[in-house]
Amino acid sequence: MTALLLILIPLAAGLVSFAMKQDSAAKTISLLASVVTLALALAAVATPSAIVYDVAWLNDLGSRFTLKMDGLSKLLALLTAVAYPLIFVAIHRNEYKKTASFYGLMLLAQAGLMGVFLAADVLLFYFFWELALIPVYFLSSIWGGEKRIAVTFKFFVYTFLGSLLMLAGILLVYFQTADHSFAMKAFYEVQLSGAQQTVAFWLFFIAFAIKMPIFPLHTWQPDAYEQSPTATTMVLSGIMVKMGLFAVVRWLLPVFPQATVQFGNLIMILSIIGMLYASLIAIRQDDIKRLIAYSSIAHIGLMCAALFSGSKSGTEGAMIQMFSHGVNVIGMWIIADQLEQKLGTRKLSEMGGLAQKAPAMAVLLVVMALANIALPLTNAFIGEFLMFSGIFQHNMWMAVAALISIILAAVYTLNMVQKVIYGSLSPASSTAVDISGNVKLALIIIAVMIIVFGVFPQPMIELTRDTVAGLFVKK
Amino acid sequence: MNAIIFSAVLGVVMMFSGIILRSKSAVTTTAIVSLLVLLLANIFNIYDVFSIHIDTRGLLHFNKFGLFFNTILIAATLIFVLLSGKDIEKAGANVSDYYALIFFVLCGTSILTSFNGLLMLFLGIEIMTIPLYILTGADKRNLKSNEASLKYFLMGCFSTGIMLMGIALVYGATGSFSLNVAASSPASAGMPVSSFLQMAGLILLFVSMCFKVSAAPFHFWTPDVYDGAPSVFTSFMATIVKAGGFFAFLNLFESNAQLLGATWKLLMSFVIIATLLIGNITAVFQQSIKRMMAYSSIAQAGFMLFALYSFNDMAKEGILLYAVAYCLATIGFFSVLIKVKDYTFDGFNGLAKTQPVIAFSATVFLMSLAGIPLTAGFFAKYYMLASVVKSGGSLWIVVVAVLFAAISVYYYFKVIQAMYFKEGQPETHEITGRFKTGLVLVAAAVILVGVLPSIVLNWFYF
């Protein structure tokens, strides 16, 4: 039941929010709903066993409405549930035209995301995979920047194409299952010939790779992140890209074990190329949103490479990092949003000396930045450490290449920090004021999470244990 | 048999209603009531209560699949008249005649959903299309409408000629009008075996049916006719008539496809891909939404053709679902299109602001046409693709089809973009509260079928 409520509450609250005449009412309802969802997610995490919800849906097709929360699902449901109150608090004072619709769509996106992370039936998963996309499409196209329509459309068509290919892959596997069923169990137990594995593997992987995104399918991402309203970018880069990584763990590795081994190296190489490439571009970026976007590609590339390394620690690290990166990157986006609002520009070259004017923001930016380069004692460290050890076990040279991107990450992140808060006061910064209470609250919560999980990551490792064990038992 | 008799009789009733009833809206009301009667009569036929039996010597054959398909078509016509009745009244002077013609078209589809011989196929096709030639030209003073009508008439005659030639050849080869060409083997009839004549006849039939359902490369008439006809009747032609044609196509080749052996799949692959390619790619470049919808209907036909590629249970269920999904969405969207004065994409700019309910419903319809999950269109496409995989067909054709489905998003979403993301003051005709209610109900039905397609399919299974 908890699992169902995690989807239903955002869905219902989203629909109610649409009907609200007053903006403040919509904001209150959304915040309340997201807090209730968070409480439920925490309750789910506290439950030691897997939570299952199962009712009949499409019997003729062999598809049931099955939700299942194992460790990884819990972790990502928690990420979704944590992210939303933070986003809502941080954007509380932002002005959006048609506020009620904005919040309504945000909550509908949350319902879709939850569904993706909880679904234990491929057809249901496919449904939610698409449904999460539609609200985001509207959010970005209505409230986004100047080039929003074309950019969001590119993003939509890209991902839609990916999901259709996945549908073809799903059909291929479906008809090979013993009792023609879409259930997770049936997919895990399916026997495929080598050729079928190869074809279906790629059909699935292209969908996931577009979502993540993995080089060379990433071209939609920087534009979409830049043009979307920042609150939506937080959802996109904090949670939505995790859909791709999550789907790899849930639907790719266990269903196509041979193909995973066969093509793992190729995918790792692509991921690492993407990491280096994105990091190099990030160094050259002047727009802060684009910088974070490219940095995000690099981080996702590392997680993807670790997932395909076939090692336990790499997989574990990637799962933990999904959560940590989600939290951290939302922190980065909140700062970017604030900078844009306070300074009226996103260009790093026009910023400078902000520490004098906005000390609180400066301190919090440094914390986020340190987490972004995965310094020890931040939450990102443990995940990256595990991932590198996993990649190293697989192939030393790949680990070395990937490590270069860490150095590059330090270069662009610290460079950004330096340009924003140090140096002489730029004209844009001179009129800036420090962040308001609500933003401070959101950022402090994130900073606390960064440090707490950095020092004490054990709970997260425990949580993902059953999923990791499940993956490696199969082999 | 009920539907055939009732539609013909009610058609005559409608014809005379114009003389008795003075107001146009009274005629529309009569049409709605008559459609309800027809619908009930046909449903009774399914359950075999109050059904009329006439010995047709095997020329007609009523099974649940066909009757149910016909129910869908009649119900779709009812929804069409409920939503666009007011616009039919505006299409021209002779409202009662238009309704009469619509009933005659339904008579044609009733025959097409039950024919059991080539002769009846021919009759059904003719009864269905001749009223359409007139409806296409209903806007008498509009040159485009006249042109479309003439074009449709000439091309229609041409294809009918091909069909007749095909029937004649098959008859010549087998000595029978039986649907199952293979079973009525020439040898048993004591005639010299001429499989060449038989094959040639089948191919000609295939060509003419492709023509009727506007499958490429026999689609050339479609855009001009759909564009030129009064928009209300385009809606009718693109949905009910096309679906009826598809049923006939399916029924005709279900037992005969095997005669062509492996060639059949090759032939179908070619036709499907050509249809998807031409429909989707050309739709992308259209400036007028009405013309875009014409090409989109070609593209949708491409998907429906998969039923003929695979010919299994899933394909039959799929074509039912496709008919429902496609009719609901297209009728719904056309009813919105008719209300907007300017048919270009810019004409829809800002519709979400001035008419939020209409814009939302239109979005649901467009998403259904694009095959987005949670709408009926998704399962329709799903069944079609699944039937191909199930029949052991190659996966590459599925992949090609989904690529084209992704392209279709481009032109469908261009309308959504215009409505939601662009500023403008769209000019619309008068929109009544009743129209809005009806539209929302249709949109709700699209979503309902999208979540629980078993509602439609269980009906079929009983």
Side-chain angles (χ1 to χ4, degrees):
Chain A
M1 201 62 200
T2 320
L4 183 67
L5 282 177
L6 281 173
I7 299 172
L8 277 187
I9 291 176
L11 182 68
L15 293 176
V16 170
S17 171
F18 270 115
M20 288 293 127
K21 291 268 184 290
Q22 281 169 314
D23 294 353
S24 56
K27 286 185 179 178
T28 316
I29 287 173
S30 308
L31 188 59
L32 270 178
S34 65
V35 171
V36 174
T37 314
L38 174 59
L40 276 170
L42 284 171
V45 169
T47 318
S49 58
I51 299 170
V52 179
Y53 179 84
D54 179 56
V55 285
W57 181 36
L58 302 167
N59 287 337
D60 311 341
L61 294 181
S63 174
R64 297 178 64 81
F65 191 93
T66 315
L67 305 175
K68 184 177 174 210
M69 293 182 84
D70 63 352
L72 183 64
S73 290
K74 284 179 191 166
L75 190 69
L76 286 166
L78 184 66
L79 170 66
T80 314
V82 167
Y84 264 78
L86 287 174
I87 295 172
F88 284 150
V89 168
I91 64 168
H92 191 69
R93 289 181 197 215
N94 291 11
E95 293 287 333
Y96 297 103
K97 57 174 187 187
K98 289 186 278 177
T99 311
S101 310
F102 182 83
Y103 278 82
L105 285 168
M106 286 287 278
L107 284 170
L108 291 188
Q110 189 187 16
L113 289 163
M114 282 287 186
V116 170
F117 296 137
L118 303 187
D121 182 285
V122 196
L123 198 64
L124 190 65
F125 167 79
Y126 183 81
F127 253 63
F128 283 119
W129 177 273
E130 292 281 315
L131 287 188
L133 181 64
I134 306 271
V136 172
Y137 170 69
F138 278 92
L139 280 167
S140 300
S141 296
I142 298 178
W143 287 275
E146 216 174 306
K147 288 182 290 175
R148 61 186 191 277
I149 297 180
V151 164
T152 315
F153 196 50
K154 180 177 173 192
F155 158 58
F156 185 84
V157 171
Y158 239 110
T159 45
F160 187 66
L161 176 64
S163 19
L164 282 170
L165 291 176
M166 172 165 68
L167 182 67
I170 290 175
L171 283 173
L172 177 67
V173 181
Y174 166 73
F175 283 109
Q176 303 301 322
T177 53
D179 48 352
H180 286 204
S181 154
F182 285 106
M184 184 153 94
K185 194 164 167 288
F187 264 60
Y188 281 13
E189 286 165 1
V190 71
Q191 297 293 328
L192 297 171
S193 71
Q196 283 167 337
Q197 280 223 9
T198 306
V199 174
F201 175 86
W202 283 106
L203 288 172
F204 274 75
F205 183 72
I206 289 173
F208 304 155
I210 289 174
K211 207 79 169 190
M212 283 193 253
I214 291 299
F215 177 85
L217 299 169
H218 65 281
T219 54
W220 62 267
Q221 192 251 33
D223 290 335
Y225 282 14
E226 184 195 348
Q227 292 294 323
S228 297
T230 311
T232 308
T233 311
M234 293 176 204
V235 175
L236 264 174
S237 95
I239 316 170
M240 217 161 173
V241 294
K242 308 299 181 300
M243 279 164 62
L245 293 163
F246 168 83
V248 166
V249 178
R250 172 101 329 152
W251 301 113
L252 205 66
L253 305 181
V255 182
F256 313 108
Q258 285 112 292
T260 306
V261 175
Q262 197 180 344
F263 301 110
N265 266 328
L266 174 62
I267 289 170
M268 284 176 78
I269 289 170
L270 282 178
S271 305
I272 291 168
I273 292 175
M275 284 168 71
L276 295 171
Y277 167 81
S279 304
L280 286 171
I281 295 181
I283 293 176
R284 300 289 304 159
Q285 288 304 313
D286 192 33
D287 183 310
I288 186 164
K289 280 180 100 170
R290 289 187 82 86
L291 187 148
I292 303 176
Y294 280 108
S295 135
S296 190
I297 295 182
H299 281 117
I300 298 288
L302 178 59
M303 289 181 235
C304 182
L307 282 179
F308 282 93
S309 68
S311 69
K312 218 168 182 171
S313 60
T315 316
E316 215 166 57
M319 289 182 191
I320 296 171
Q321 185 67 356
M322 282 184 214
F323 184 85
S324 304
H325 175 260
V327 173
N328 300 351
V329 85
I330 288 174
M332 292 292 274
W333 287 116
I334 295 178
I335 302 245
D337 185 33
Q338 288 301 313
L339 284 172
E340 191 181 355
Q341 283 185 34
K342 308 275 177 200
L343 309 182
T345 177
R346 292 200 303 254
K347 290 207 166 89
L348 290 172
S349 53
E350 292 174 13
M351 297 181 189
L354 200 67
Q356 303 164 34
K357 286 284 176 184
M361 174 144 68
V363 171
L364 289 164
L365 172 59
V366 172
V367 177
M368 306 298 150
L370 294 182
N372 199 42
I373 47 180
L375 216 66
L377 292 189
T378 64
N379 60 349
F381 173 73
I382 177 72
E384 294 217 342
F385 177 79
L386 286 170
M387 285 193 285
F388 276 114
S389 93
I391 297 175
F392 189 82
Q393 286 168 34
H394 182 77
N395 182 324
M396 189 182 78
W397 294 109
M398 283 190 189
V400 170
L403 270 167
I404 295 174
S405 82
I406 289 288
I407 302 169
L408 296 175
V411 173
Y412 60 75
T413 312
L414 296 178
N415 193 23
M416 175 197 76
V417 171
Q418 186 195 353
K419 278 183 180 161
V420 174
I421 61 179
Y422 302 123
S424 57
L425 204 59
S426 76
S429 304
S430 60
T431 51
V433 284
D434 209 345
I435 45 178
S436 51
N438 60 323
V439 181
K440 220 181 270 177
L441 176 68
L443 286 175
I444 286 173
I445 294 173
I446 293 175
V448 168
M449 283 168 75
I450 287 176
I451 293 164
V452 168
F453 285 121
V455 181
F456 188 56
Q458 200 56 32
M460 279 201 291
I461 300 178
E462 294 283 332
L463 197 57
T464 56
R465 190 145 286 166
D466 65 338
T467 312
V468 175
L471 274 180
F472 285 89
V473 161
K474 167 104 183 171
K475 283 177 193 168
Chain B
M1 201 71 204
N2 284 8
I4 300 177
I5 295 169
F6 271 80
S7 56
V9 172
L10 288 170
V12 177
V13 170
M14 284 314 299
M15 216 149 68
F16 287 100
S17 71
I19 303 172
I20 304 156
L21 300 167
R22 290 270 162 240
S23 80
K24 285 183 172 180
S25 60
V27 177
T28 305
T29 316
T30 319
I32 290 170
V33 174
S34 310
L35 276 170
L36 270 174
V37 171
L38 180 59
L39 186 63
L40 278 178
N42 195 52
I43 290 174
F44 282 146
N45 206 159
I46 299 180
Y47 293 96
D48 209 15
V49 279
F50 308 116
S51 59
I52 305 162
H53 294 282
I54 293 174
D55 182 15
T56 55
R57 312 250 164 177
L59 283 176
L60 293 176
H61 169 70
F62 295 91
N63 60 12
K64 280 174 177 167
F65 181 51
L67 286 169
F68 182 57
F69 199 89
N70 201 26
T71 314
I72 294 175
L73 297 183
I74 298 171
T77 313
L78 181 62
I79 293 170
F80 161 70
V81 174
L82 283 172
L83 280 181
S84 301
K86 283 267 171 295
D87 304 291
I88 298 176
E89 289 166 20
K90 281 182 216 149
N94 316 310
V95 182
S96 53
D97 294 357
Y98 303 150
Y99 284 119
L101 292 169
I102 286 174
F103 275 93
F104 293 142
V105 171
L106 284 179
C107 183
T109 61
S110 302
I111 295 175
L112 284 182
T113 49
S114 59
F115 72 95
N116 197 30
L118 297 175
L119 217 48
M120 277 296 155
L121 166 75
F122 174 68
L123 266 182
I125 290 276
E126 283 306 279
I127 295 177
M128 182 176 80
T129 44
I130 290 173
L132 284 176
Y133 303 144
I134 309 169
L135 286 178
T136 309
D139 194 357
K140 264 194 291 197
R141 293 196 172 71
N142 185 338
L143 208 58
K144 259 180 104 181
S145 174
N146 281 320
E147 186 202 321
S149 178
L150 186 65
K151 202 175 241 173
Y152 192 17
F153 177 67
L154 290 175
M155 299 299 254
C157 289
F158 185 60
S159 81
T160 306
I162 294 176
M163 172 179 279
L164 273 179
M165 189 68 201
I167 294 176
L169 289 184
V170 170
Y171 184 80
T174 64
S176 151
F177 285 123
S178 161
L179 199 55
N180 197 341
V181 178
S184 49
S185 105
S188 64
M191 298 205 321
V193 179
S194 171
S195 64
F196 174 75
L197 271 188
Q198 204 180 44
M199 251 359 126
L202 275 178
I203 294 288
L204 287 178
L205 277 170
F206 180 79
V207 168
S208 69
M209 286 315 290
C210 279
F211 189 93
K212 296 292 179 197
V213 299
S214 60
F218 309 101
H219 65 282
F220 290 99
W221 60 275
T222 318
D224 287 340
V225 171
Y226 283 14
D227 196 23
S231 302
V232 251
F233 298 130
T234 309
S235 166
F236 184 66
M237 275 195 281
T239 52
I240 291 131
V241 175
K242 181 170 265 190
F246 256 104
F247 186 92
F249 202 173
L250 188 73
N251 205 5
L252 175 60
F253 278 94
E254 192 175 2
S255 46
N256 294 329
Q258 69 211 36
L259 274 183
L260 294 167
T263 323
W264 175 255
K265 291 228 155 148
L266 197 67
L267 189 65
M268 279 318 293
S269 312
F270 170 73
V271 171
I272 289 173
I273 291 183
T275 309
L276 286 171
L277 178 82
I278 287 166
N280 283 302
I281 300 292
T282 324
V284 165
F285 298 104
Q286 297 309 311
Q287 303 299 320
S288 144
I289 295 186
K290 192 175 172 187
R291 223 176 152 78
M292 179 274 276
M293 285 302 287
Y295 282 103
S296 123
S297 89
I298 298 177
Q300 300 280 349
F303 260 96
M304 285 192 248
L305 284 170
F306 275 121
L308 280 99
Y309 179 91
S310 32
F311 280 128
N312 48 22
D313 288 352
M314 203 137 194
K316 282 181 145 190
E317 289 162 26
I319 197 91
L320 280 175
L321 205 57
Y322 215 110
V324 172
Y326 174 69
C327 285
L328 284 177
T330 310
I331 290 173
F333 184 72
F334 261 105
S335 75
V336 173
L337 182 69
I338 296 162
K339 297 288 179 197
V340 179
K341 281 186 180 162
D342 182 1
Y343 286 167
T344 60
F345 283 91
D346 288 338
F348 273 67
N349 283 357
L351 194 70
K353 218 166 248 161
T354 51
Q355 298 286 352
V357 178
I358 307 263
F360 175 77
S361 310
T363 306
V364 172
F365 300 140
L366 289 166
M367 286 192 172
S368 179
L369 287 172
I372 307 252
L374 207 69
T375 60
F378 167 72
F379 274 111
K381 286 203 166 65
Y382 168 83
Y383 267 86
M384 285 299 152
L385 297 180
S387 76
V388 176
V389 182
K390 193 178 181 186
S391 76
S394 50
L395 197 71
W396 66 266
I397 195 167
V398 175
V399 173
V400 171
V402 300
L403 289 179
F404 283 120
I407 292 174
S408 79
V409 168
Y410 179 83
Y411 50 85
Y412 291 130
F413 273 54
K414 231 163 100 177
V415 185
I416 298 180
Q417 285 173 0
M419 291 192 296
Y420 279 89
F421 314 142
K422 293 192 176 153
E423 305 289 330
Q425 279 297 326
E427 285 182 51
T428 51
H429 294 287
E430 186 204 357
I431 290 169
T432 59
R434 214 188 76 178
F435 174 72
K436 279 187 194 170
T437 320
L439 203 61
V440 169
L441 286 177
V442 176
V446 169
I447 292 176
L448 185 71
V449 178
V451 180
L452 294 168
S454 12
I455 293 178
V456 175
L457 295 176
N458 281 348
W459 204 6
F460 172 52
Y461 283 128
F462 299 101

